[in-house]
Amino acid sequence: MLITFKKILVGLINVFSKLIYNFLLLKIIAIFLGPSGIGIYSQFRSFWQLSTTFTNLNSSAFIVQRLSIIENKKIFFSNSFILILFLNIIFFIILITNIDFFANLIFLNNNEFYKKILFYSSFIIPLTSMIVYLFSSLNGFKLFYKHTILSLVISSIYIFLTIYFSYYGADFDIFSVLKIILISEILSLILLLLILFKYFYFKHLFILKIKEFLINQRNFVKNSSVFLISGLVFLSSILIIKIIIINYLGYSKLGIFESAWAICIVLSFIATKSLSFYYLPELSNLKTKDISIVVNQYLLTSPVIICVLYIPLFLL
């Protein structure tokens, strides 16, 4: 039981490290840019999340599950890396060559301001997609402590850049936010690649036939499709709701909606992510008869964790 609590605590540290810099960034945007600034950032973030989900096939759970149980981990990791990288290159080309179309679609306006946001997005989204994939791989390899340390380092990078741009930047605007995200994501990707470098194995590509390689990629897409569809349906519905709000009420009202929506997301994010961080790879690696033991641990510990986290929030 104590070991389970310790591992869940590691998951909580990962979650809170992300929440802290996200809260700080939103707070800075609210102070400098007001509700309309939050509204514009909210729409960018919804497009960012939807696109990232699409370009990595929402495969995080599948990657964790596969890497936890298969023997040829390096081959699977390297194959899936190539596929995700290829999808992101295609996405980058499509977005960068159709900025006018996407600006009208997402922001209902294709002036230079919104096109510049999408220009930054064309770099941020592929970076984030690869980072999500690599973090999932860390979890699948059961490198929990490296995952946690790296999460804290990346959060520190975000916090440092946010403070730097807000205090020392000439004019803090939405593009300052995008620069913070872009620089942080570049540094995050470099750190992840350095940690996972020894797990890459591309020699098999010279041995495998092209047909066999393509079959492996097809199976990856097929197994990820369930997660992809569910993720796209949810995130698309949120994006559409926000487009409707922009159309009828404007970005200021969207900013107010985003503030309320962020609270709901935070409450669910704390419980689900901190618990699944440990249990998903753990359950994937167990035999059928042992699963009930871990599930019982989950049922015993999760209500305690949720109560400890949520009761203080409700009292506030």
Side-chain angles (χ1 to χ4, degrees):
M1 182 69 71
L2 182 61
I3 294 174
T4 302
F5 270 108
K6 285 182 178 179
K7 290 183 176 179
I8 292 174
L9 181 62
V10 171
L12 282 170
I13 293 171
N14 277 280
V15 171
F16 278 111
S17 66
K18 293 179 176 66
L19 291 177
I20 289 170
Y21 74 70
N22 273 301
F23 172 78
L24 178 62
L25 192 58
L26 279 173
K27 188 68 175 178
I28 295 295
I29 294 171
I31 292 170
F32 283 91
L33 306 178
S36 61
I38 292 180
I40 294 170
Y41 174 72
S42 167
Q43 193 65 349
F44 154 75
R45 190 167 68 173
S46 290
F47 178 63
W48 178 19
Q49 291 171 336
L50 176 64
S51 302
T52 300
T53 298
F54 177 74
T55 52
N56 68 22
L57 303 175
N58 202 24
S59 57
S60 296
F62 175 64
I63 289 168
V64 173
Q65 187 265 339
R66 292 297 294 168
L67 285 176
S68 299
I69 61 173
I70 61 174
E71 294 182 3
N72 53 346
K73 299 180 190 295
K74 289 186 177 181
I75 293 178
F76 175 83
F77 172 63
S78 302
N79 282 346
S80 53
F81 177 84
I82 292 171
L83 176 61
I84 301 300
L85 179 62
F86 174 74
L87 290 174
N88 278 283
I89 292 171
I90 296 299
F91 176 83
F92 171 81
I93 294 170
I94 292 172
L95 180 56
I96 205 73
T97 55
N98 294 277
I99 283 184
D100 281 317
F101 170 77
F102 283 102
N104 267 321
L105 180 67
I106 305 301
F107 297 102
L108 305 183
N109 197 318
N110 67 343
N111 66 27
E112 291 302 317
F113 177 82
Y114 296 106
K115 287 196 287 187
K116 192 174 179 181
I117 292 175
L118 286 175
F119 176 77
Y120 277 98
S121 301
S122 65
F123 293 95
I124 291 171
I125 290 165
L127 286 168
T128 304
S129 180
M130 298 305 301
I131 288 167
V132 170
Y133 163 74
L134 292 172
F135 261 122
S136 301
S137 300
L138 270 179
N139 205 7
F141 285 121
K142 296 189 176 181
L143 303 173
F144 300 127
Y145 295 106
K146 286 185 178 180
H147 190 297
T148 302
I149 292 169
L150 194 55
S151 293
L152 291 172
V153 170
I154 292 170
S155 298
S156 300
I157 292 171
Y158 263 96
I159 291 169
F160 170 78
L161 288 173
T162 301
I163 294 171
Y164 175 81
F165 273 90
S166 60
Y167 278 92
Y168 299 103
D171 294 305
F172 189 88
D173 57 14
I174 192 66
F175 301 112
S176 301
V177 176
L178 297 176
K179 288 174 186 176
I180 291 169
I181 296 170
L182 181 59
I183 295 169
S184 300
E185 297 295 85
I186 291 171
L187 294 175
S188 301
L189 182 62
I190 292 170
L191 290 172
L192 279 162
L193 289 173
L194 288 173
I195 289 175
L196 288 167
F197 180 77
K198 65 180 180 180
Y199 293 97
F200 285 106
Y201 182 75
F202 295 115
K203 291 181 181 179
H204 71 287
L205 295 177
F206 300 100
I207 302 172
L208 284 174
K209 295 179 180 179
I210 296 297
K211 184 178 180 181
E212 186 177 347
F213 174 75
L214 292 175
I215 289 172
N216 290 335
Q217 305 294 37
R218 185 190 66 185
N219 290 337
F220 184 92
V221 174
K222 180 180 178 181
N223 289 317
S224 300
S225 60
V226 175
F227 303 104
L228 176 62
I229 292 169
S230 61
L232 289 180
V233 168
F234 173 72
L235 292 171
S236 296
S237 63
I238 298 301
L239 183 61
I240 291 169
I241 290 170
K242 290 181 177 180
I243 289 172
I244 293 170
I245 293 173
I246 293 168
N247 189 42
Y248 288 97
L249 302 174
Y251 280 103
S252 294
K253 298 298 183 183
L254 177 59
I256 296 170
F257 169 82
E258 175 64 21
S259 300
W261 177 247
I263 295 172
C264 299
I265 293 297
V266 166
L267 291 174
S268 60
F269 190 77
I270 290 172
T272 57
K273 291 295 181 182
S274 57
L275 294 170
S276 65
F277 172 77
Y278 162 65
Y279 278 109
L280 184 57
E282 190 71 16
L283 287 170
S284 300
N285 202 35
L286 294 176
K287 297 178 181 178
T288 305
K289 63 180 182 180
D290 298 323
I291 289 177
S292 60
I293 298 174
V294 177
V295 170
N296 286 333
Q297 289 179 341
Y298 178 89
L299 292 174
L300 286 171
T301 56
S302 56
V304 177
I305 297 293
I306 291 170
C307 288
V308 169
L309 291 171
Y310 285 1
I311 289 175
L313 292 173
F314 286 125
L315 291 176
L316 293 173

